[in-house]
Amino acid sequence: GAVVSQHPSRVICKSGTSVKIECRSLDFQATTMFWYRQFPKKSLMLMATSNEGSKATYEQGVEKDKFLINHASLTLSTLTVTSAHPEDSSFYICSAKRTGLYEQYFGPGTRLTVT
Amino acid sequence: SQQGEEDPQALSIQEGENATMNCSYKTSINNLQWYRQNSGRGLVHLILIRSNEREKHSGRLRVTLDTSKKSSSLLITASRAADTASYFCATARLQGAQKLVFGQGTRLTINP
């Protein structure tokens, strides 16, 4: 168990448009999900913590109006990159955790390219 | 800010040899976790060691934790080509333990 999916796996969009990325926990309920950003050959940078039914908690330096997070159900969180610019091009990864446990289960990631 | 520092940044060994990766961190932790990432993919959870544990095993993996030195090591024994990946340590702090802070990672290459 503990499978997390992400969709789409790759997306190319034009500058100024918005892109939505979905993160789903397929076989467990996740009250908490996380969104990370990873630059090539670099580590993961936590962007925000997504809590089901409440507002996301953003890390310092992450613009909440640019990276909109919605965690509407126990199995789905979405990240919308609004008015995307080329500098938003990156690998975005979500993770989910079971209530009461510390391990995080990661999605396969979404490669966003903004042209 | 990134808490974990890992060394080496890259490690290349022959199949069958053991691989050791180290991780250091700065603040007190609730637990430390190791993850593996294959190129362009998500991360896979390998093992979690709590702050009151000193050593933990899982198959060919052995993890140690020294809280006095704020360091951990991951040993992969009898390495295989399929072990080629990046390995990250991640720490869960005492306050807000559900969040993880990742190290910079070690790129491990197993040569056949």
Side-chain angles (χ1 to χ4, degrees):
Chain A
V3 178
V4 177
S5 70
Q6 252 181 272
H7 178 80
S9 57
R10 289 178 178 272
V11 58
I12 300 173
C13 70
K14 293 187 182 298
S15 189
T17 62
S18 295
V19 174
K20 180 185 284 189
I21 302 170
E22 293 186 348
C23 178
R24 293 180 185 273
S25 56
L26 299 183
D27 54 359
F28 67 101
Q29 293 185 331
T31 54
T32 305
M33 291 183 171
F34 303 89
W35 287 97
Y36 297 85
R37 184 172 179 177
Q38 185 178 33
F39 292 100
K41 297 185 179 180
K42 296 291 185 183
S43 187
L44 279 73
M45 181 190 78
L46 179 65
M47 299 175 65
T49 302
S50 170
N51 299 293
E52 187 268 337
S54 63
K55 291 183 179 180
T57 304
Y58 290 82
E59 295 300 301
Q60 192 172 7
V62 178
E63 300 177 57
K64 61 181 180 181
D65 294 331
K66 180 163 185 64
F67 298 100
L68 300 179
I69 292 172
N70 188 311
H71 193 158
S73 78
L74 286 172
T75 59
L76 173 64
S77 176
T78 61
L79 169 69
T80 301
V81 183
T82 62
S83 187
H85 292 282
E87 56 265 32
D88 298 324
S89 298
S90 192
F91 193 56
Y92 292 88
I93 310 176
C94 73
S95 71
K97 66 180 286 294
R98 298 177 188 268
T99 302
L101 298 179
Y102 292 111
E103 296 88 339
Q104 293 185 18
Y105 299 96
F106 285 80
T110 296
R111 175 76 57 193
L112 170 63
T113 303
V114 185
T115 60
Chain B
S1 62
Q2 292 295 336
Q3 171 163 236
E5 296 292 332
E6 295 176 66
D7 79 276
Q9 291 188 351
L11 178 63
S12 181
I13 61 174
Q14 293 300 119
E15 196 167 20
E17 294 180 340
N18 296 341
T20 299
M21 290 158 272
N22 302 296
C23 167
S24 62
Y25 56 92
K26 296 175 182 172
T27 65
S28 297
I29 61 171
N30 177 289
N31 65 79
L32 184 145
Q33 303 175 37
W34 286 89
Y35 289 83
R36 183 186 75 217
Q37 183 181 34
N38 289 88
S39 182
R41 303 291 296 171
L43 278 71
V44 175
H45 179 265
L46 295 176
I47 198 164
L48 179 153
I49 187 165
R50 299 183 186 278
S51 60
N52 61 353
E53 297 177 308
R54 293 295 166 259
E55 188 171 311
K56 206 161 183 180
H57 297 253
S58 177
R60 293 184 296 113
L61 306 181
R62 173 178 165 245
V63 167
T64 63
L65 179 64
D66 187 334
T67 52
S68 67
K69 295 181 179 178
K70 290 186 168 57
S71 68
S72 173
S73 68
L74 170 67
L75 168 68
I76 304 175
T77 60
S79 64
R80 305 167 182 169
D83 295 328
T84 294
S86 291
Y87 291 81
F88 294 91
C89 70
T91 51
R93 298 180 180 180
L94 285 178
Q95 301 296 328
Q98 66 174 0
K99 293 201 307 186
L100 294 177
V101 178
F102 282 82
Q104 297 302 311
T106 294
R107 174 68 190 170
L108 175 65
T109 302
I110 308 299
N111 302 303

